[in-house]
């Protein structure tokens, strides 16, 4: 007895395809297995003795492109592996397993899917096309395109009679990246190719925001594809008519970026870089967003705010307090997730800000301990010092007043010095007379 089953396998070109085939009874080994392809003859064959044979079309440079893993035979699995799948590998394969008087057969349709882009690296503004092909192409199949995991706006209609799907676009930064063909027939299959658009690669798109902290160095990017050598390159701040000097990188002439030694608040704004390549003028715009920390005082508390000239892309703020030991080792304290904080400790505070796609930038501030002391409840001790000084001043004033009174008293006593002399002389004469009377 025997049975024959059919199934479908879709594999990307260049990948490994596995065509399933199972024995169908409990004890399958030893078995005679034969794999064939319609119109191409034998692919691989094994006799019950263990001898194996390969078709001549499946051996390249002495290496067989097809095999059946022996380790799976004991489980009745005689699946065929095809390495480095090619377009011409697509078609119908048949598996025949003979164990004693039991024969099991299976047919497998292998379809090979691939995406090709022409030209593979177009210049910005050139026409390009993307083709999704499936071999053999089945009737009733449909295809849709995804660019960077988003549906392509110019979707082709589902087709049932054309051997593939082709879309044409103008090469810009909007279509650069991963082109994915989503093929649907009985089940879904996907394959992806990468489209690289030559031109200005940094910034990757117009109106890109570049972040920098006040006082720090940074570079406004303007980088062309490595194989391009732009001429007449300019870098200017838009809206003010100010052209910036630019310096090319020593490694490549495709770098027209502009360094800023120390960012200031006045540097924020929009910039434009441009250059001529193969007679075509390429340009890219960007916005420099400046970040700084600002102190504020509210109800006796000192606040620290992470301020950006444009915070439209910021979704999260994090403040980190850093401390250093005697060896200079840095350790980070707890993270405060607010735009404005009221620090309880002085030292180094860093504001890190994030967008939807992750980290954007940071700005670091040194907070003086004296500012923290003013808000941490140490003002009453200062008031006590003031009171103590006032009491001391009063005591000094009392001492000075008493000294003045004594001085005035002495002035009143010695106001008539002649009278004091007469009184003193009379007193002495009286004492002499009394002494003489006693002797007599």
């Amino acid at each position: 007895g025997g049975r024959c089953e059919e199934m479908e396998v879709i594999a990307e070109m260049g990948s490994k395809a596995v065509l399933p085939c199972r024995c169908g009874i409990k004890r399958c080994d030893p078995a005679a297995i034969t794999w064939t392809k319609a119109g191409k003859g034998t692919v691989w064959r094994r006799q019950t003795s263990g001898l194996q044979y390969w078709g001549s079309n499946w051996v390249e440079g002495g290496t067989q492109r097809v095999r059946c893993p022996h380790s799976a035979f004991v489980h009745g699995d005689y699946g065929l592996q095809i390495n480095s799948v090619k377009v011409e590998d697509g078609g119908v394969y048949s598996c025949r397993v003979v164990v004693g008087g039991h024969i099991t057969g299976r047919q497998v349709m292998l379809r090979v899917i691939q995406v090709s882009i022409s030209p593979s690296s177009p210049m910005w503004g050139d026409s390009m096309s993307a083709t999704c092909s499936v071999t053999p192409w089945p009737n009733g199949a449909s295809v849709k395109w995804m660019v960077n995991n988003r549906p392509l706006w110019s979707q082709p209609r589902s087709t049932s009679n054309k051997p593939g799907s082709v879309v044409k676009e103008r090469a810009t930064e909007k279509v650069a990246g991963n082109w994915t063909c989503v093929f649907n027939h009985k089940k879904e299959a996907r394959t992806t190719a990468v489209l690289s658009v030559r031109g200005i690669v940094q910034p990757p798109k117009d109106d890109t925001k570049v972040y920098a902290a006040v006082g720090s160095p940074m570079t406004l990017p303007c980088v062309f594809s490595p194989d391009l050598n732009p001429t007449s390159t300019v870098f200017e701040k838009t809206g003010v008519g100010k052209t910036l000097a630019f310096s090319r990188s020593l490694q490549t002439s495709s770098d027209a970026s502009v360094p800023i030694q120390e960012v200031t608040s006045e540097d924020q704004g929009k910039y434009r870089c441009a250059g001529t390549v193969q007679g075509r003028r390429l340009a890219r715009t960007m916005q420099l967003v400046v970040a700084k920390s600002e102190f504020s005082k509210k109800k006796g508390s000192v606040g620290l705010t992470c301020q950006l000239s444009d915070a439209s892309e910021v979704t999260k703020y994090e403040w980190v307090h850093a401390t250093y030991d005697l060896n200079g080792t840095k350790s980070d304290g707890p993270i405060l997730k607010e735009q404005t904080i009221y620090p309880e400790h002085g030292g180094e505070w860093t504001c890190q800000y994030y967008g939807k796609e992750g980290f954007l930038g940071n700005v670091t501030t040194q907070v003086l301990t004296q500012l923290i002391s003013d808000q941490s409840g140490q003002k009453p001790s200062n008031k006590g010092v003031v009171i103590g000084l006032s009491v001391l001043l009063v005591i000094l004033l009392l001492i000075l007043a008493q000294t003045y009174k004594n001085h005035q008293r002495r002035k009143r006593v010695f106001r008539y010095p002649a009278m004091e002399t007469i009184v003193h002389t009379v007193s002495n004469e009286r004492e002499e007379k009394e002494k003489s009377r006693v002797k007599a």
Side-chain angles (χ1 to χ4, degrees):
R3 58 196 177 94
C4 186
E5 299 177 358
E6 293 182 358
M7 70 174 305
E8 186 171 289
V9 173
I10 302 176
E12 293 183 51
M13 190 182 70
S15 67
K16 180 177 71 174
V18 178
L19 309 185
C21 180
R22 299 193 65 84
C23 173
I25 62 176
K26 290 185 178 179
R27 300 192 61 175
C28 294
D29 205 30
I33 310 105
T34 303
W35 273 99
T36 59
K37 183 185 178 186
K40 297 293 183 180
T42 300
V43 177
W44 178 84
R45 179 165 62 91
R46 175 184 181 264
Q47 297 179 348
T48 54
S49 62
L51 291 178
Q52 300 181 57
Y53 301 89
W54 283 267
S56 59
N57 295 329
W58 301 92
V59 180
E60 293 182 354
T63 302
Q64 294 81 16
R65 227 165 32 91
V66 295
R67 62 186 293 265
C68 286
H70 293 182
S71 59
F73 290 174
V74 294
H75 304 294
D77 185 355
Y78 300 104
L80 180 70
Q81 292 185 2
I82 304 178
N83 297 318
S84 303
V85 172
K86 301 178 180 180
V87 173
E88 54 266 28
D89 292 341
V92 178
Y93 292 77
S94 298
C95 167
R96 185 172 184 268
V97 180
V98 181
V99 181
H102 184 85
I103 301 175
T104 301
R106 162 164 286 184
Q107 285 190 341
V108 181
M109 169 62 79
L110 174 61
R111 302 189 191 278
V112 181
I113 182 173
Q114 68 170 328
V115 170
S116 57
I117 297 176
S118 179
S120 58
S121 297
M123 187 76 164
W124 193 93
D126 288 346
S127 296
M128 52 78 58
S129 63
T131 303
C132 179
S133 63
V134 177
T135 307
W137 180 271
N139 290 332
S142 65
V143 168
K144 68 177 181 179
W145 287 95
M146 307 285 287
V147 177
N148 298 322
N149 296 323
R150 295 181 179 180
L152 182 65
W153 46 89
S154 56
Q155 290 283 353
R157 294 181 180 179
S158 298
T159 177
S160 59
N161 54 4
K162 293 183 179 180
S165 173
V166 180
V167 292
K168 296 182 178 181
E169 292 291 335
R170 182 171 170 267
T172 65
E173 70 276 2
K174 295 181 180 180
V175 298
N178 295 325
W179 279 67
T180 302
C181 168
V182 183
F183 172 79
N184 205 322
H185 178 256
K186 296 183 180 179
K187 60 181 180 179
E188 185 179 279
R190 298 179 176 223
T191 185
T192 300
V194 179
L195 170 63
S196 299
V197 178
R198 295 183 302 150
I200 299 177
V201 295
Q202 288 295 333
K205 60 181 181 180
D206 279 333
D207 299 326
T208 298
K209 287 185 173 61
V210 182
Y211 296 84
V214 170
S216 65
M218 66 87 60
T219 298
L220 290 171
C222 184
V223 182
F224 291 75
S225 298
D227 60 330
L228 301 182
N229 186 15
T231 59
S232 305
T233 308
V234 295
F235 210 126
E236 60 184 359
K237 188 173 184 180
T238 61
V240 296
K242 179 181 179 182
T243 300
L244 306 179
F246 67 89
S247 59
R248 295 185 182 274
S249 170
L250 296 178
Q251 289 76 22
T252 172
S253 60
S254 62
D255 191 346
S257 303
V258 172
I260 299 179
Q261 300 300 327
E262 185 175 343
V263 175
T264 65
S265 297
E266 289 73 24
D267 292 328
Q268 66 90 18
K270 293 187 176 182
Y271 294 81
R272 175 181 175 272
C273 73
T276 301
V277 178
Q278 299 176 6
R280 185 177 304 169
R281 193 67 173 169
L282 303 181
R284 182 76 79 236
T285 59
M286 69 201 76
Q287 179 181 351
L288 175 58
V289 179
V290 174
K292 60 181 178 179
S293 299
E294 291 187 347
F295 288 97
S296 61
K297 207 164 187 180
K298 184 178 181 181
K299 295 182 180 180
S301 297
V302 176
L304 190 58
T305 302
C306 192
Q307 195 71 35
L308 280 77
S309 57
D310 185 345
S312 59
E313 291 186 354
V314 178
T315 59
K316 181 177 66 174
Y317 296 90
E318 289 185 352
W319 282 94
V320 180
H321 181 230
T323 57
Y324 298 85
D325 58 19
L326 296 177
N327 296 325
T329 303
K330 179 183 177 181
S331 59
D332 295 332
I335 297 176
L336 304 179
K337 297 184 178 182
E338 300 290 342
Q339 183 180 5
T340 300
I341 62 171
Y342 297 90
E344 298 179 355
H345 306 284
E348 181 181 292
W349 286 88
T350 299
C351 171
Q352 301 172 344
Y353 41 94
Y354 300 81
K356 291 181 180 179
E357 298 181 358
F359 179 78
L360 295 176
N362 62 61
V363 57
T364 300
T365 305
Q366 293 292 336
V367 179
L368 299 178
T369 305
Q370 181 180 356
L371 292 175
I372 305 303
S373 300
D374 291 342
Q375 75 173 55
S376 60
Q378 297 185 12
K379 286 188 177 181
S381 61
N382 294 339
K383 183 177 180 181
V385 172
V386 173
I387 294 175
L389 292 175
S390 300
V391 172
L392 180 60
L393 181 60
V394 171
I395 294 174
L396 290 174
L397 290 175
L398 291 175
I399 293 174
L400 290 174
Q402 188 62 37
T403 302
Y404 179 75
K405 288 181 180 179
N406 293 338
H407 177 69
Q408 292 296 328
R409 189 179 299 113
R410 286 196 298 270
K411 286 179 67 177
R412 286 195 296 271
V413 172
F414 299 115
R415 183 175 297 176
Y416 306 103
M419 181 65 71
E420 182 182 3
T421 302
I422 295 172
V423 172
H424 185 66
T425 301
V426 171
S427 177
N428 289 340
E429 290 179 352
R430 186 179 299 163
E431 288 179 358
E432 290 294 334
K433 286 181 179 181
E434 290 180 355
K435 290 179 180 180
S436 300
R437 191 178 299 126
V438 172
K439 290 180 180 181

